[in-house]
Amino acid sequence: MLLISCPWCGARAESEFRCGGQSHIARPGPPETVSDAEWSAYLFERLNPKGLHRERWVHAYGCGRWFNVARDTVTHQILETYLMTEAGQAQADQP
Amino acid sequence: MGKHYSAWEVFKRGLTHQRGWGPAWRSPKPKARYDVVIVGGGGHGLATAYYLAKTYGIRNVAVLEKGWLGGGNTGRNTTVVRSNYYYKASADLYDHALKLYEGLSRDLNYNVMFSQRGMITVAHSRHDLEAAARWAGAMQLNGVDAEMLTREQVARLAPALDVSPRARYPVWGGLRQRRAGTARHDAVAWGFARAADRLGVDIIQNCEVEQFIRSADGRVIGVQTNRGRIEAGKTAMTVAGHSSVLAEKAGFRLPVTSYALQAFVSEPLKPVLDTVVLSLATGMYVSQSDKGGLVIGGGLDLYPSYAQRGNLPTVQNVIGALAEQYPSLGRVRLARQWAGIVDVTPDSSPLIGRTPVDGLYLNCGWGTGGFKAIPVGGTVLAHHLATDEPHPLARPFGLDRFQTGALIDEAAASGIAH
């Protein structure tokens, strides 16, 4: 069971949350300049890293708000949680 | 070259106490160059090598596996084989796999213990029943066997299932595919490995790909491994959950997210269930292995993971559903629990064929359902590698569909919410 620190509610059990996938994806634009390949990459392609992953979570059975989580996809260790408007501090270990 | 397996051979060996069978495949040193190098020694990789050698006569082939054969998802799934998909493209693909499974033991000269014990998808509400009827109709139009079941028929086929009116998940009826069933997953990997090896394919275990070797114009011309440099005419990757990691090394991204999918086996029981039963309400499905253990599966752990182990909330959901729907099994103890890393695409359909990099081909994205597709995954990728044209069955499943928009959204057909 993951223990996730919601920035508003504090540490709560994983079962209160839903993961919304990769965070910090910028929408390309303006629309008339975006190629099919760029649009496809924006919609579908994901980093899916083995290691540090920045992702969005929502506190579905709590305050209902979205926030960012930096989490390791191998150990599941959560390195930090931070607000949607922030960039985050955690860095991936250099191999 | 190994021996042909037969009852006569077992009898003959019996006279000398079954000694001297020898290994089922060689463990050769990697050569400096192959016509085709396949990265990933799971079912799909081994099947690709087998069909390359058998159908197309391309025998200078290596399968590189960083661990041991079938140690990834091929050895971690719940062994169900079925073709109950909604869209024509998927039905054609998975039903081809099912037909190959029907003759696989004979083809490979290796008993994969394919048992067509049927699969029942249980509907728990009027809506479930309507969805199941629509699904059965689509299957029949696609030429796949499907029949609707009444509540009484479901009760007769799965007596342990709680069909009483007071059940938390009341049973309204179901959908049955009789030709579905289970196969022994390890035997599928070993059978393909042995058959490919007998045709001259080199299977190299404990060989991890570190880098792709590129020519001046960017084409992949081989791989750098922990056992040295191996050049290749063509390179294929069949690494399921680790596809994004390899794609990153080759310099492109995939529409794939890796999740942990858990599975469970109970202590051995006397026969209680002779078919596969999936519940539309909970996504939990169960069958009984020949050894007597209940083989149980359910939904994904719904966040990206490479951990090969799941977390407790999903265990609770899956096992809770089992205990609720099969009251007599509520006190059965689990013997084992594990997870495999599955490669889920946005439309829950596989990615087969060319990659954006010349010389590198791909077979991944089967998500939670790769095991049942092993023979067809091998067939279509071998065709693409040999002829440089996509196999007709695989044409709709190229990477380009995410640009053209021709998605094949089978999320519902897997019967598991993801």
Side-chain angles (χ1 to χ4, degrees), chain A residues 1-17:
Chain A
M1 177 79 83
L2 302 182
L3 195 61
I4 302 174
S5 289
C6 170
W8 290 276
C9 311
R12 299 288 185 91
E14 161 190 344
S15 47
E16 293 186 15
F17 297 86

Side-chain angles (χ1 to χ4, degrees), chain B residues 299-329:
Chain B
L300 296 166
D301 282 48
L302 280 170
Y303 43 86
S305 172
Y306 284 89
Q308 289 195 327
R309 62 178 186 279
N311 247 332
L312 270 175
T314 304
V315 179
Q316 237 167 11
N317 286 344
V318 176
I319 300 306
L322 180 83
E324 189 68 50
Q325 294 181 304
Y326 300 84
S328 59
L329 304 178

Side-chain angles (χ1 to χ4, degrees), chain B residues 180-267:
Chain B
T182 58
R184 186 174 174 217
H185 49 10
D186 293 330
V188 173
W190 299 337
F192 272 116
R194 174 170 168 274
D197 179 82
R198 293 179 84 189
L199 293 172
V201 171
D202 281 0
I203 295 164
I204 301 157
Q205 301 183 67
N206 298 310
C207 180
E208 183 171 2
V209 168
E210 291 160 351
Q211 287 304 330
F212 290 102
I213 304 168
R214 311 287 283 264
S215 68
D217 59 353
R219 187 184 159 86
V220 168
I221 52 166
V223 287
Q224 185 64 45
T225 75
N226 59 350
R227 296 181 63 177
R229 177 189 164 99
I230 304 173
E231 286 181 15
K234 286 175 179 166
T235 306
M237 46 188 261
T238 56
V239 296
H242 281 69
S243 296
S244 297
V245 177
L246 264 194
E248 186 74 35
K249 288 187 200 295
F252 61 95
R253 281 182 194 160
L254 289 170
V256 166
T257 304
S258 298
Y259 294 100
L261 177 62
Q262 301 195 54
F264 313 85
V265 171
S266 78
E267 60 188 331

Side-chain angles (χ1 to χ4, degrees), chain B residues 130-150:
Chain B
E130 283 174 2
R134 180 168 175 264
W135 189 355
M139 286 169 65
Q140 288 167 357
L141 286 174
N142 291 333
V144 176
D145 68 305
E147 56 199 277
M148 292 300 293
L149 301 175
T150 63

Side-chain angles (χ1 to χ4, degrees), chain B residues 52-69:
Chain B
L52 266 176
K54 182 191 165 215
T55 314
Y56 302 97
I58 300 175
R59 299 183 174 199
N60 186 23
V61 174
V63 179
L64 312 182
E65 165 57 47
K66 79 170 170 183
W68 66 96
L69 289 191

Side-chain angles (χ1 to χ4, degrees), chain B residues 81-83 93-103 114 116 144-145 177 179-181 372 375:
Chain B
V81 177
R82 57 185 172 84
S83 60
L93 191 69
Y94 289 100
D95 208 50
H96 191 78
L98 181 49
K99 285 174 186 160
L100 288 172
Y101 263 114
E102 286 172 341
F114 183 48
Q116 290 180 293
V144 176
D145 68 305
Q177 185 184 18
R179 287 162 62 241
K372 71 170 97 65

Side-chain angles (χ1 to χ4, degrees), chain A residues 11-93:
Chain A
R12 299 288 185 91
E14 161 190 344
S15 47
E16 293 186 15
F17 297 86
R18 290 280 175 275
C19 180
Q22 184 183 328
S23 194
H24 307 297
I25 300 175
R27 184 188 173 109
E32 62 274 17
T33 65
V34 178
S35 69
D36 285 355
E38 284 173 280
W39 189 246
S40 163
Y42 162 67
L43 285 180
F44 299 118
E45 285 178 9
R46 296 294 175 258
L47 291 171
N48 197 26
K50 187 174 185 176
L52 179 72
H53 189 227
R54 300 185 178 282
E55 54 199 16
R56 298 178 300 175
W57 286 71
V58 61
H59 195 180
Y61 301 101
C63 62
R65 297 176 82 165
W66 287 90
F67 57 95
N68 286 313
V69 173
R71 185 178 61 89
D72 189 301
T73 58
V74 179
T75 62
H76 292 174
Q77 186 191 1
I78 292 173
L79 300 165
E80 63 172 332
T81 60
Y82 54 99
L83 302 181
M84 286 310 281
T85 49
E86 295 173 350
Q89 306 290 320
Q91 297 293 319
D93 291 336

